[in-house]
Amino acid sequence: MTRPLIGLTTYAQDTRFGTVDVPAAVLPLTYVRAVHTTGGRAVLITTDDPGDDVLHGLDGIVFTGGSDVSPGYYGAEPHPLTVSVPERDEAEMLLMRAALASPGLPVLGVCRGMQLLTVASGGRLHQHVPDVVGHTGHMPGDDQDGHHGVRLAPGSRAAAVMGTEAPVNSFHHQAVADPGRLVATGWADDGLIEAVEDPDAGFVLGVQWHPERTDDLRPFAALVEAARIRAVVTRARMAA
Protein backbone atom coordinates (compact mmCIF):
# COMPACT_ATOMS: atom_id res chain seq x y z
CA MET A 1 0.00 0.00 0.00
CA THR A 2 0.96 3.67 -0.23
CA ARG A 3 3.22 4.78 2.60
CA PRO A 4 1.32 6.77 5.24
CA LEU A 5 1.72 10.54 4.95
CA ILE A 6 3.26 12.04 8.08
CA GLY A 7 3.24 15.80 8.60
CA LEU A 8 6.29 17.45 10.15
CA THR A 9 6.08 20.99 11.52
CA THR A 10 8.84 23.38 10.47
CA TYR A 11 10.02 26.85 11.44
CA ALA A 12 10.95 29.95 9.47
CA GLN A 13 14.52 31.19 9.46
CA ASP A 14 16.76 33.28 7.24
CA THR A 15 18.96 30.85 5.35
CA ARG A 16 21.87 31.51 3.00
CA PHE A 17 21.45 30.43 -0.61
CA GLY A 18 24.60 31.30 -2.48
CA THR A 19 25.46 34.82 -1.31
CA VAL A 20 21.96 35.88 -0.24
CA ASP A 21 20.02 35.29 2.99
CA VAL A 22 16.36 34.56 2.30
CA PRO A 23 13.47 33.41 4.53
CA ALA A 24 13.14 29.63 4.42
CA ALA A 25 11.14 26.82 5.97
CA VAL A 26 13.70 24.93 8.06
CA LEU A 27 13.79 21.51 9.69
CA PRO A 28 16.72 19.22 10.50
CA LEU A 29 16.76 16.40 7.95
CA THR A 30 17.01 13.90 10.81
CA TYR A 31 13.23 14.20 11.28
CA VAL A 32 12.56 13.46 7.62
CA ARG A 33 14.93 10.51 7.65
CA ALA A 34 13.31 9.15 10.82
CA VAL A 35 9.91 9.13 9.11
CA HIS A 36 11.25 7.61 5.89
CA THR A 37 13.37 5.02 7.68
CA THR A 38 10.34 3.77 9.64
CA GLY A 39 8.12 3.46 6.57
CA GLY A 40 6.31 6.79 6.32
CA ARG A 41 6.39 9.58 3.77
CA ALA A 42 7.27 12.98 5.21
CA VAL A 43 5.27 16.12 4.38
CA LEU A 44 6.67 19.45 5.62
CA ILE A 45 4.20 21.92 7.15
CA THR A 46 5.18 25.59 7.12
CA THR A 47 4.08 28.35 9.50
CA ASP A 48 3.34 31.08 6.93
CA ASP A 49 -0.31 30.20 6.22
CA PRO A 50 -1.89 28.67 9.35
CA GLY A 51 -4.87 26.38 8.81
CA ASP A 52 -6.11 22.99 9.93
CA ASP A 53 -7.04 21.94 6.40
CA VAL A 54 -3.56 20.43 6.03
CA LEU A 55 -4.64 17.66 8.39
CA HIS A 56 -7.21 16.40 5.90
CA GLY A 57 -4.54 14.78 3.75
CA LEU A 58 -2.37 13.39 6.55
CA ASP A 59 -2.32 9.99 8.21
CA GLY A 60 -0.27 11.20 11.21
CA ILE A 61 1.63 14.25 12.41
CA VAL A 62 4.85 15.01 14.30
CA PHE A 63 5.25 18.29 16.18
CA THR A 64 9.00 18.88 16.13
CA GLY A 65 11.50 20.54 18.46
CA GLY A 66 12.63 24.15 18.52
CA SER A 67 11.86 27.41 20.30
CA ASP A 68 10.10 27.82 23.65
CA VAL A 69 6.30 27.81 23.80
CA SER A 70 5.11 31.24 24.89
CA PRO A 71 4.15 31.20 28.60
CA GLY A 72 1.19 33.42 27.73
CA TYR A 73 -0.61 30.26 26.61
CA TYR A 74 -0.61 28.97 30.20
CA GLY A 75 -0.97 32.29 32.00
CA ALA A 76 2.62 32.82 33.13
CA GLU A 77 5.09 35.67 32.79
CA PRO A 78 8.15 34.92 30.64
CA HIS A 79 11.36 33.84 32.32
CA PRO A 80 14.40 35.97 31.35
CA LEU A 81 15.75 33.04 29.31
CA THR A 82 12.47 32.15 27.56
CA VAL A 83 12.68 32.73 23.80
CA SER A 84 9.47 32.15 21.85
CA VAL A 85 8.49 32.73 18.22
CA PRO A 86 4.92 34.09 18.05
CA GLU A 87 4.34 33.09 14.42
CA ARG A 88 5.30 29.49 15.11
CA ASP A 89 3.36 29.34 18.38
CA GLU A 90 0.20 30.64 16.72
CA ALA A 91 0.37 28.31 13.73
CA GLU A 92 1.27 25.20 15.70
CA MET A 93 -1.17 25.79 18.56
CA LEU A 94 -3.99 26.01 16.01
CA LEU A 95 -2.71 22.86 14.33
CA MET A 96 -2.22 20.96 17.60
CA ARG A 97 -5.72 21.73 18.84
CA ALA A 98 -7.16 20.64 15.50
CA ALA A 99 -5.06 17.46 15.50
CA LEU A 100 -6.24 16.51 18.99
CA ALA A 101 -9.84 17.11 17.90
CA SER A 102 -9.41 14.97 14.77
CA PRO A 103 -10.73 11.46 15.59
CA GLY A 104 -7.96 8.90 15.68
CA LEU A 105 -5.23 11.05 14.11
CA PRO A 106 -1.87 9.78 15.45
CA VAL A 107 0.15 12.58 17.09
CA LEU A 108 3.78 12.51 18.23
CA GLY A 109 5.32 15.49 20.03
CA VAL A 110 9.14 15.69 20.21
CA CYS A 111 10.76 18.01 22.80
CA ARG A 112 9.04 21.36 22.07
CA GLY A 113 6.31 19.26 20.44
CA MET A 114 5.68 17.48 23.75
CA GLN A 115 5.58 20.84 25.52
CA LEU A 116 3.13 22.22 22.94
CA LEU A 117 0.98 19.11 23.33
CA THR A 118 0.96 19.66 27.09
CA VAL A 119 0.01 23.34 26.90
CA ALA A 120 -2.73 22.62 24.34
CA SER A 121 -4.07 20.07 26.83
CA GLY A 122 -4.32 22.59 29.67
CA GLY A 123 -0.90 21.95 31.22
CA ARG A 124 2.00 24.18 32.29
CA LEU A 125 5.75 24.23 31.76
CA HIS A 126 8.89 24.79 33.79
CA GLN A 127 10.49 27.63 31.85
CA HIS A 128 14.09 26.89 32.87
CA VAL A 129 14.95 23.36 33.95
CA PRO A 130 18.12 24.17 35.99
CA ASP A 131 15.93 26.28 38.30
CA VAL A 132 13.95 23.12 39.08
CA VAL A 133 16.48 20.27 39.13
CA GLY A 134 19.60 22.22 40.10
CA HIS A 135 21.81 21.07 37.23
CA THR A 136 22.30 21.59 33.49
CA GLY A 137 22.38 17.94 32.48
CA HIS A 138 19.28 18.30 30.30
CA MET A 139 20.76 21.18 28.30
CA PRO A 140 24.44 20.42 27.63
CA GLY A 141 26.50 22.89 25.62
CA ASP A 142 28.36 22.63 22.34
CA ASP A 143 25.25 21.26 20.61
CA GLN A 144 25.73 17.87 22.31
CA ASP A 145 22.85 15.80 23.62
CA GLY A 146 22.67 14.94 27.29
CA HIS A 147 22.33 11.19 27.79
CA HIS A 148 20.43 9.71 30.71
CA GLY A 149 17.92 7.01 31.54
CA VAL A 150 14.14 7.23 31.76
CA ARG A 151 11.66 5.00 33.51
CA LEU A 152 8.31 4.50 31.83
CA ALA A 153 5.03 3.55 33.49
CA PRO A 154 4.14 -0.14 33.01
CA GLY A 155 1.06 -0.52 30.85
CA SER A 156 1.46 2.90 29.24
CA ARG A 157 1.81 3.56 25.53
CA ALA A 158 5.28 4.95 26.20
CA ALA A 159 6.29 1.63 27.80
CA ALA A 160 4.71 -0.31 24.94
CA VAL A 161 6.96 1.64 22.58
CA MET A 162 10.19 1.83 24.62
CA GLY A 163 9.93 -0.71 27.46
CA THR A 164 9.82 0.29 31.13
CA GLU A 165 13.40 1.62 31.07
CA ALA A 166 15.39 3.16 28.24
CA PRO A 167 18.50 5.26 27.61
CA VAL A 168 17.59 8.54 25.91
CA ASN A 169 19.13 11.87 24.91
CA SER A 170 17.95 15.38 25.66
CA PHE A 171 18.69 18.94 24.72
CA HIS A 172 16.17 21.31 26.32
CA HIS A 173 15.84 23.99 28.97
CA GLN A 174 12.05 23.83 29.40
CA ALA A 175 9.99 20.87 30.56
CA VAL A 176 6.51 19.81 31.64
CA ALA A 177 5.46 20.98 35.11
CA ASP A 178 1.77 19.93 34.95
CA PRO A 179 0.53 17.63 32.17
CA GLY A 180 -3.01 19.03 32.28
CA ARG A 181 -5.50 16.56 30.77
CA LEU A 182 -2.65 14.27 29.74
CA VAL A 183 -0.98 11.61 31.89
CA ALA A 184 2.74 11.68 32.70
CA THR A 185 4.17 8.26 31.86
CA GLY A 186 7.93 8.81 31.79
CA TRP A 187 10.47 10.35 34.16
CA ALA A 188 14.19 11.02 34.34
CA ASP A 189 16.14 10.02 37.44
CA ASP A 190 15.82 13.58 38.76
CA GLY A 191 12.02 13.39 38.52
CA LEU A 192 11.61 15.52 35.42
CA ILE A 193 8.70 14.39 33.22
CA GLU A 194 10.00 12.77 30.03
CA ALA A 195 6.83 11.36 28.43
CA VAL A 196 3.14 12.28 28.37
CA GLU A 197 0.19 10.69 26.62
CA ASP A 198 -3.57 10.63 26.29
CA PRO A 199 -4.72 7.16 27.37
CA ASP A 200 -8.15 7.78 25.85
CA ALA A 201 -6.80 8.53 22.38
CA GLY A 202 -5.60 6.08 19.75
CA PHE A 203 -2.05 7.44 19.57
CA VAL A 204 -1.18 10.73 21.27
CA LEU A 205 2.34 10.62 22.72
CA GLY A 206 4.92 13.22 23.69
CA VAL A 207 8.58 12.49 24.39
CA GLN A 208 11.01 15.03 25.83
CA TRP A 209 14.04 13.50 24.16
CA HIS A 210 15.13 13.57 20.50
CA PRO A 211 14.81 10.05 19.04
CA GLU A 212 15.43 11.43 15.54
CA ARG A 213 19.01 12.23 16.61
CA THR A 214 19.66 8.62 17.63
CA ASP A 215 19.49 5.15 16.14
CA ASP A 216 16.48 4.32 18.35
CA LEU A 217 13.55 5.40 16.20
CA ARG A 218 10.87 3.41 18.03
CA PRO A 219 8.63 6.45 18.75
CA PHE A 220 8.60 7.26 15.02
CA ALA A 221 8.03 3.62 14.10
CA ALA A 222 5.06 3.45 16.48
CA LEU A 223 3.58 6.63 15.04
CA VAL A 224 4.02 5.44 11.45
CA GLU A 225 2.41 2.07 12.27
CA ALA A 226 -0.56 3.79 13.93
CA ALA A 227 -0.85 6.05 10.88
CA ARG A 228 -0.69 3.07 8.53
CA ILE A 229 -3.53 1.32 10.37
CA ARG A 230 -5.64 4.49 10.37
CA ALA A 231 -5.01 4.96 6.65
CA VAL A 232 -6.12 1.40 5.85
CA VAL A 233 -9.31 1.78 7.89
CA THR A 234 -10.07 5.22 6.46
CA ARG A 235 -9.58 4.17 2.86
CA ALA A 236 -11.62 1.01 3.36
CA ARG A 237 -14.52 3.11 4.64
CA MET A 238 -14.23 5.49 1.72
CA ALA A 239 -14.28 2.58 -0.73
CA ALA A 240 -17.32 0.93 0.89
Side-chain angles (χ1 to χ4, degrees), residues 1 4 6 27 38 47-48 65 67 78 119 131 134 137 146 169 179 189 193 206 225 233:
M1 65 166 287
I6 309 298
L27 184 70
T38 55
T47 60
D48 62 301
S67 56
V119 173
D131 292 346
N169 62 343
D189 292 340
I193 294 174
E225 177 61 12
V233 172

Side-chain angles (χ1 to χ4, degrees), residues 153-214:
S156 66
R157 179 171 293 281
V161 172
M162 300 292 295
T164 56
E165 294 184 358
V168 301
N169 62 343
S170 62
F171 189 76
H172 62 103
H173 88 109
Q174 296 204 328
V176 171
D178 173 4
R181 295 185 297 275
L182 303 174
V183 176
T185 55
W187 304 266
D189 292 340
D190 56 19
L192 209 64
I193 294 174
E194 291 279 337
V196 296
E197 60 192 74
D198 183 349
D200 297 323
F203 188 102
V204 174
L205 174 66
V207 296
Q208 187 57 71
W209 64 92
H210 282 273
E212 81 285 355
R213 295 170 67 157
T214 74

Side-chain angles (χ1 to χ4, degrees), residues 4 16 42 53 69 93 122 126 132 141 158 162 196:
R16 175 144 296 198
D53 56 304
V69 178
M93 187 61 74
H126 296 303
V132 179
M162 300 292 295
V196 296

Side-chain angles (χ1 to χ4, degrees), residues 17-42:
F17 290 90
T19 60
V20 180
D21 287 342
V22 298
V26 178
L27 184 70
L29 196 58
T30 48
Y31 286 101
V32 176
R33 288 173 175 158
V35 169
H36 290 167
T37 297
T38 55
R41 176 63 68 191

Side-chain angles (χ1 to χ4, degrees), residues 13-235:
Q13 180 174 301
D14 284 346
T15 304
R16 175 144 296 198
F17 290 90
T19 60
V20 180
D21 287 342
V22 298
V26 178
L27 184 70
L29 196 58
T30 48
Y31 286 101
V32 176
R33 288 173 175 158
V35 169
H36 290 167
T37 297
T38 55
R41 176 63 68 191
V43 177
L44 302 189
I45 304 171
T46 62
T47 60
D48 62 301
D49 187 13
D52 59 11
D53 56 304
V54 67
L55 297 176
H56 301 165
L58 298 179
D59 301 310
I61 186 167
V62 179
F63 289 85
T64 62
S67 56
D68 301 330
V69 178
S70 171
Y73 283 101
Y74 49 96
E77 292 297 318
H79 186 282
L81 295 177
T82 294
V83 179
S84 57
V85 179
E87 179 188 59
R88 186 177 186 190
D89 282 345
E90 178 183 352
E92 291 189 6
M93 187 61 74
L94 182 155
L95 195 60
M96 177 65 82
R97 288 169 174 162
L100 295 178
S102 182
L105 182 69
V107 175
L108 174 64
V110 175
C111 196
R112 166 193 157 87
M114 168 173 150
Q115 296 161 12
L116 186 78
L117 169 62
T118 296
V119 173
S121 301
R124 296 180 297 103
L125 304 180
H126 296 303
Q127 292 190 56
H128 191 54
V129 168
D131 292 346
V132 179
V133 298
H135 63 80
T136 60
H138 292 274
M139 47 175 295
D142 300 323
D143 198 32
Q144 298 298 309
D145 295 332
H147 295 271
H148 59 86
V150 296
R151 54 187 176 85
L152 302 160
S156 66
R157 179 171 293 281
V161 172
M162 300 292 295
T164 56
E165 294 184 358
V168 301
N169 62 343
S170 62
F171 189 76
H172 62 103
H173 88 109
Q174 296 204 328
V176 171
D178 173 4
R181 295 185 297 275
L182 303 174
V183 176
T185 55
W187 304 266
D189 292 340
D190 56 19
L192 209 64
I193 294 174
E194 291 279 337
V196 296
E197 60 192 74
D198 183 349
D200 297 323
F203 188 102
V204 174
L205 174 66
V207 296
Q208 187 57 71
W209 64 92
H210 282 273
E212 81 285 355
R213 295 170 67 157
T214 74
D215 293 328
D216 190 348
L217 300 177
R218 285 179 289 177
F220 282 90
L223 173 86
V224 169
E225 177 61 12
R228 184 191 66 78
I229 293 171
R230 183 177 186 266
V232 169
V233 172
T234 300
R235 289 160 192 163

